Amino acid sequence: MSGLTVPVLFFCLATGAALGCLFLLFRVVRQLLGAGKGLTFLLDLLSGALAGAFVFLCALAVDRGFLRLHQLVLQGVGAWAAVQGLGGVVEALARRAQKIFCKLLAVLARGGRFVKGLFPKPDPGKPEKKKKTRKKKKKPRKKTCNIM
């Protein structure tokens, strides 16, 4: 399958689009984890290594391991098209998933305290005292979720 033929053209565009989707996947993971500089570096390094291996395997399929300029350009165009076409949608879905994930963690954190409060350990030596109830002041809600 060497040379620029129609199947090679579509194969390179499709593999480039797959690379763009891989990039978007790593961007979503980075956003969901609230990655700092170190984790961002590791995720970028991993995505670059996967992309390099992917390009090498495609070069093996197209021209026995030789990477041609038209392959590289077409894969770049496919990746650019995927990122531009799906980037906004993926970002919106990632923000929505992050909100749902934060709410789920908050419910689970409250649930642990709730279950613990259902079964108090009575002290056999002391009679239980009535607890004074005070109204707590409401704290302003945080807009972001601190998962880690």
Side-chain angles (χ1 to χ4, degrees):
M1 204 163 65
S2 65
L4 183 60
T5 60
V6 175
V8 170
L9 181 123
F10 285 116
F11 179 71
C12 291
L13 284 174
T15 57
L19 287 172
C21 291
L22 179 74
F23 172 76
L24 288 174
L25 177 72
F26 275 95
R27 184 190 291 179
V28 168
V29 169
R30 198 169 38 236
Q31 184 176 352
L32 286 177
L33 293 177
K37 289 181 181 180
L39 188 57
T40 300
F41 171 74
L42 290 176
L43 287 173
D44 285 346
L45 192 66
L46 180 63
S47 68
L50 286 174
F54 199 63
V55 168
F56 173 70
L57 289 175
C58 292
L60 278 177
V62 171
D63 197 14
R64 295 173 293 159
F66 295 106
L67 181 63
R68 304 290 181 200
L69 181 62
H70 63 82
Q71 294 170 339
L72 194 61
V73 169
L74 288 172
Q75 285 178 340
V77 168
W80 175 81
V83 170
Q84 290 299 313
L86 298 174
V89 174
V90 169
E91 286 291 322
L93 290 175
R95 274 188 252 113
R96 183 169 291 171
Q98 188 175 21
K99 286 180 185 177
I100 291 170
F101 189 63
C102 289
K103 286 182 182 179
L104 180 66
L105 282 178
V107 166
L108 289 175
R110 274 188 258 132
R113 289 190 297 258
F114 175 73
V115 171
K116 189 177 179 182
L118 282 178
F119 306 104
K121 294 182 181 178
D123 192 11
K126 297 181 182 178
E128 290 190 30
K129 296 181 182 179
K130 290 186 178 180
K131 294 182 180 179
K132 295 181 182 179
T133 57
R134 295 182 187 171
K135 290 187 177 180
K136 294 183 179 180
K137 293 181 182 178
K138 290 186 178 180
K139 295 180 182 178
R141 296 180 76 190
K142 294 181 181 178
K143 292 190 178 189
T144 59
C145 177
N146 295 331
I147 298 170
M148 293 181 195

